[in-house]
Amino acid sequence: MDKWPIGVFTSIDEGLGVRFGVVKELKIPTVHLHTPSREKRTPEAAAAFRRECDQAGITITVLFGGFQGESYADIPTVRRTVGLVPKETRAERVDDLKKISDFGRHLGVPAIGIHIGFIPESPEDPEFAELVAVTQEVCDYLKGNGQALHLETGQETAETLLAFIAAVDRDNLFINFDPANMILYGTGDPIEALKKVGHRVRSVHCKDARWAQKPGEEWGEEVPLGQGDVDFEAFLRTLDEFGYTGPLTIEREIPHDPERQKRDIAAAVQMLEALKRELAG
Ligand code: MG
């Protein structure tokens, strides 16, 4: 694969990400894929989608898991409902994640991505150790399927994420770096954070955002690439310093407005291609 192939976040059926037809139309060579709903996670469905990708020359680089009952309505709701952090749903979601990994094996993907939830900041917190144990279990299961686990950034600082990864201590645990999430959640300057965690980054989301008035308490605003507070030239330069050559996967989550989503993604492709040329030249 060429250095920094363009990618986009898409889905089979969940309504998130851009429609697959648009991926083909824009001739985007790689995708991150939202996991379809449970009843569609069959080996047959995986094989069918894989065939469609193969025919279009599209490589699926990360399969993103999501869980029933998650809500991104506001930051406190994310804290309560997202990932493997909420205790009431943890066992069920670990089981679900293993099934998502199996679906990924049928798709032939090398990595599963997740929002794990808000990792406790202190390693002394008993919740931290519990989350470490459950992540080890997930990593070991994924390893059996030849996959890595990519933790999406945003819900914690770079330092907390690194401490957590060190504690889990598995060689298939990496980071999906989303610079906009650092702004949306108010967890730190994205480029400074990338400089700290870059050695563990194996996939990225190219998404842009503006800081909230009260970062960390309320959402920042997701905006089209190039219109927010992420410095994408610095982002690419920093990725380059760490030797990252993987896909630049555009994420634009406005499924309620598919026409605008398509326009914004097409513009983002242009912008990233221009930056790539600039940095190569
Ligand atoms: Mg993301």
Side-chain angles (χ1 to χ4, degrees):
M1 208 181 270
D2 293 340
K3 180 180 175 182
W4 291 344
I6 300 294
V8 70
F9 216 147
T10 188
S11 60
I12 303 179
D13 75 329
E14 286 291 79
L16 284 164
V18 74
R19 286 165 302 168
F20 193 66
V22 174
V23 183
K24 288 201 255 189
E25 193 184 327
L26 297 177
K27 298 193 165 52
I28 292 174
T30 76
V31 292
H32 284 183
L33 184 68
H34 286 286
T35 296
S37 50
R38 279 183 192 165
E39 57 279 11
K40 296 199 178 156
R41 279 179 221 151
T42 62
E44 296 74 27
F49 190 70
R50 176 70 193 267
R51 259 197 312 279
E52 206 179 339
C53 286
D54 286 348
Q55 279 162 8
I58 293 166
T59 306
I60 312 166
T61 55
V62 185
L63 174 67
F64 270 81
F67 307 107
Q68 275 169 12
E70 290 185 321
S71 167
Y72 291 84
D74 52 41
I75 292 179
T77 307
V78 173
R79 197 175 276 282
R80 214 176 54 245
T81 66
V82 166
L84 301 181
V85 170
K87 268 191 169 174
E88 321 75 68
T89 49
R90 189 180 289 157
E92 168 195 322
R93 287 180 177 180
V94 166
D95 190 51
D96 219 22
L97 201 46
K98 290 176 180 174
K99 295 196 174 93
I100 289 170
S101 167
D102 292 342
F103 181 73
R105 179 165 50 86
H106 291 294
L107 275 176
V109 297
I112 306 295
I114 55 164
H115 274 287
I116 199 164
F118 278 80
I119 298 170
E121 268 172 48
S122 167
E124 309 302 320
D125 189 325
E127 291 287 320
F128 187 94
E130 285 184 26
L131 202 55
V132 165
V134 91
T135 307
Q136 288 170 332
E137 181 186 340
V138 169
C139 283
D140 294 344
Y141 188 87
L142 264 57
K143 189 151 189 166
N145 276 335
Q147 296 158 343
L149 181 65
H150 292 191
L151 300 179
E152 171 102 3
T153 52
Q155 288 149 352
E156 51 284 309
T157 61
E159 289 79 8
T160 302
L161 191 56
L162 283 181
F164 182 74
I165 288 172
V168 175
D169 192 24
R170 290 294 187 272
D171 62 7
N172 61 334
L173 181 59
F174 297 106
I175 292 170
N176 180 80
F177 195 92
D178 184 326
N181 280 352
M182 306 302 296
I183 292 173
L184 290 169
Y185 287 92
T187 38
D189 176 83
I191 307 301
E192 292 309 310
L194 180 59
K195 284 178 181 165
K196 290 175 189 151
V197 305
H199 59 291
R200 299 297 288 200
V201 171
R202 291 295 181 279
S203 57
V204 301
H205 286 158
C206 293
K207 187 170 84 189
D208 210 346
R210 294 194 192 115
W211 290 95
Q213 295 282 355
K214 297 180 191 158
E217 286 177 51
E218 53 189 40
W219 282 129
E221 184 197 0
E222 191 201 323
V223 295
L225 219 66
Q227 296 180 27
D229 293 322
V230 176
D231 179 345
F232 276 95
E233 187 179 334
F235 182 60
L236 293 193
R237 282 192 195 284
T238 309
L239 287 173
D240 208 23
E241 283 165 18
F242 283 100
Y244 178 84
T245 58
L248 303 176
T249 305
I250 298 159
E251 182 178 16
R252 184 70 175 127
E253 305 268 295
I254 46 167
H256 56 279
D257 192 348
E259 284 310 309
R260 172 153 192 218
Q261 187 182 42
K262 183 177 154 184
R263 272 201 315 278
D264 287 353
I265 288 171
V269 172
Q270 299 289 321
M271 186 189 123
L272 289 173
E273 290 292 4
L275 274 176
K276 278 166 62 176
R277 280 193 302 274
E278 198 180 307
L279 295 188

